[in-house]
Structure formats: structure tokens, C-alpha cells
Amino acid sequence: MSIGYIAARRLRWRLLKRMPGLIQGDFMSLARGSGFDLQHIQPYQEGDDVRRIDWNASARSDQLQVRQMQEDREFNAWLVLDLSASSTAGLESSSKRDQMLALSTCIIDSLLQHGNRVGLWIDDGRHVPAYQLKPNHGRSHRLRLLKCIKNHQSPEQSLHIHSNLERLFRQLHAALRRRALVLVLSDFIDHSEAGGNAWSDALASLQRRHDLIAIKLDDPSEWELPAHGHFFAEDAETGEQLWIDAENESFRLRYQTLVKQEQASTRALLRRSRARLLEISHRDEALKKLSLWMRAQR
């Protein structure tokens, strides 16, 4: 068993919405019950379980004090991967798809504990999901999840197959009827004609029902121009090509301005949806970045 696998299983997810789970699990529920984590101490009231009386606290007070515990529950989680052709783009040996696989492994290993169930939804730009596995648990399910992610092949370039984030989020909203933790891994590059406000509104609708975490994957090599040279740049999804003169200072300035505007616009749309946001590059160490982010959420 690798050190990364052990570390991933130690990650503790913090949910912000009440989940319908009934079986004891490993996350902090909003319910009060018979867990092991102390929530607070309050004066004894008629009907309280006498086994939860805190005698030390009662001795320091003029009345009986009762411990209120934080109950642990199991929950359903959905891992949603945007594996359109843009996920394979980039000039470096490691792509956004590689980082998505590394992150997915960390997330799956940390969630599949003590009865928690994880489902998988892969969108690659087609009108129907490429894979849709219902939430389940166990070692065989873990291997099935990782196999589906690893073996998936993005579709070839086509004007009719491209990322459509609004359609993806609308499909999720219609299909996921039970409240769950939903983790969306995407570069949030949208090629539909609806515009950014449309997918942001769809993501906001999904966020209102579920505990939603948006993990934005970045590839710096997609917007960092080389210092010298002339070359064709090609859109990974549509095949559209553009001749670039990297030595033209005026073009470099316009290009950098547009890239910054595009990145700022995407972040604004994600904040508008009220989803919890984690930004990560394929140059980052997936487990370390995820662990630090989760620690900051507490």
C-alpha cells in the first residue's frame, strides 16, 4: 500500500449541507446524535439521555450538564469529470487529463471509507454521458471507477462534439435526485453558443440542491507563449487553427490581456454560482494541494 493511498484515506471531508445518510460513516453530519466528536455542553433537560451527563462539568456548575455529540453519517458522492478533447491539450508531458486521473484517485480513496458511496459521471462533449456509474462502495467498485476513468478516450475533433457545460449541469440536475456531495473536475472551457451566464446559472441550480465543489484544472502551457518562433495553434475540440507570431510584441500584449480577462471571467462565473472552488494546475502535487485546500475549509 503506497504512502499516497494512506494519506488520501486520511483526508476528512467537511460537508455544508445535511445529507440523507443513515448508516454511520466518516463525515461530520449537521445532525446531533451518538457520534464521538463533542459539539457542545448544555444544561440537562427532561428527556435527555442520562448516559451523556458530563459529571465533571456538572461539578463545576449548579446544575447537571449534558454532552451534545456530533453524529457521523455515510453519504453519497458523485465524481463528475469533464473529459472533453480540451483535457488532453497542452505542450507538456503531463496534461489536465493526467492531473484529473491523479486527483480522482485521491478523491475516490478518501471518500470510499466506512460505507461512503461514490458514483461516476464522465462527460466528453457528446449529448449523452460517456459513463454513468451509480454510487456504490467497496474495493471492486473502486477498481471499476479507476478503470473507467483511465480507459476513457476523448472523441476526435468535430464541430458537433464539443464541451457544453450548461447541458452537462442541466443533465446532472435532472438525474441526481438525492442530495449528495458533487465534485466537478473541469477546465471550465465552454464551446457552446449559450455563453458563460448560462452554464453559471445551471451550476448555481445544481449547487442549491447539492453540496457542490468545483475543481478548476489549469494548464499554464496553454496560455504561455514561447519567447521566439512562428507556429500554428489549434483548438483541441473544434480543430480551428491560428497562425501565431510569438515575436510580435503587440500580439503578445493583446494575447496576455485577453487570457487574463478570460481567466477572470471564468472565476467570476464560478463565484456567481456559489460553488466551493479549488484551482489546481497539473504542475501541482495533487494530494498536497487537495489536502491544504480541505484543511483551509475547516
Side-chain angles (χ1 to χ4, degrees), residues 15-234:
L15 305 189
L16 300 183
K17 295 184 179 179
R18 187 185 295 273
M19 298 294 166
L22 296 176
I23 303 173
Q24 184 173 350
D26 69 337
F27 84 93
M28 301 293 287
S29 169
L30 294 182
R32 303 289 180 265
S34 56
F36 295 99
D37 295 301
L38 178 64
Q39 181 65 20
H40 64 270
I41 296 176
Q42 66 182 29
Y44 175 84
Q45 298 179 359
E46 184 178 356
D48 286 343
D49 189 346
V50 296
R51 292 173 296 180
R52 293 209 299 268
I53 293 177
D54 189 319
W55 296 106
N56 291 330
S58 300
R60 296 190 297 269
S61 175
D62 59 354
Q63 57 183 323
L64 292 177
Q65 301 292 322
V66 179
R67 294 186 300 271
Q68 292 293 321
M69 313 304 290
Q70 186 81 26
E71 186 166 312
D72 294 346
R73 297 278 181 88
E74 55 82 30
F75 66 96
N76 283 350
W78 279 91
L79 186 60
V80 181
L81 306 183
D82 174 14
L83 284 174
S84 56
S86 63
S87 66
T88 61
L91 300 177
E92 300 184 4
S93 58
S94 177
S95 65
K96 287 179 287 188
R97 185 183 182 279
D98 297 327
Q99 183 72 329
M100 200 173 296
L101 178 58
L103 267 173
S104 298
T105 303
C106 294
I107 292 170
I108 290 170
D109 288 343
S110 64
L111 289 174
L112 284 179
Q113 301 181 72
H114 309 296
N116 299 324
R117 297 186 292 270
V118 180
L120 176 65
W121 185 299
I122 295 181
D123 181 271
D124 58 11
R126 285 176 270 215
H127 290 280
V128 295
Y131 287 106
Q132 186 178 352
L133 297 178
K134 293 182 179 181
N136 208 333
H137 56 83
R139 182 175 180 274
S140 61
H141 183 65
R142 172 185 177 273
L143 296 176
R144 192 179 304 114
L145 292 172
L146 297 179
K147 181 179 179 181
C148 287
I149 299 171
K150 185 177 180 179
N151 293 343
H152 174 265
Q153 298 294 326
S154 299
E156 297 180 356
Q157 291 178 349
S158 171
L159 295 177
H160 306 290
I161 302 177
H162 51 73
S163 57
N164 187 323
L165 296 179
E166 182 191 12
R167 180 181 64 206
L168 167 60
F169 300 146
R170 297 294 182 195
Q171 288 176 343
L172 287 167
H173 189 270
L176 308 186
R177 309 305 301 177
R178 189 181 186 188
R179 182 170 290 177
L181 171 65
V182 178
L183 301 104
V184 179
L185 277 67
S186 173
D187 54 13
F188 291 94
I189 296 175
D190 182 65
H191 282 83
S192 67
E193 299 178 357
N197 288 336
W199 68 255
S200 180
D201 290 341
L203 188 63
S205 298
L206 192 65
Q207 186 275 337
R208 283 191 288 271
R209 176 181 295 173
H210 304 282
D211 195 348
L212 179 64
I213 298 175
I215 301 178
K216 183 178 181 296
L217 301 171
D218 292 322
D219 184 351
S221 68
E222 289 185 337
W223 61 76
E224 292 177 351
L225 292 177
H228 306 283
H230 306 80
F231 54 90
F232 275 109
E234 182 179 80

Side-chain angles (χ1 to χ4, degrees), residues 279-292:
E279 295 186 72
I280 187 169
S281 164
H282 69 270
R283 296 175 182 175
D284 297 322
E285 185 180 340
L287 180 58
K288 182 178 180 181
K289 189 70 176 283
L290 180 62
S291 178
L292 291 174

Side-chain angles (χ1 to χ4, degrees), residues 86 157 189 191 233-242:
S86 63
Q157 291 178 349
I189 296 175
H191 282 83
E234 182 179 80
D235 188 292
E237 295 193 15
T238 64
E240 181 182 0
Q241 293 183 336
L242 177 67

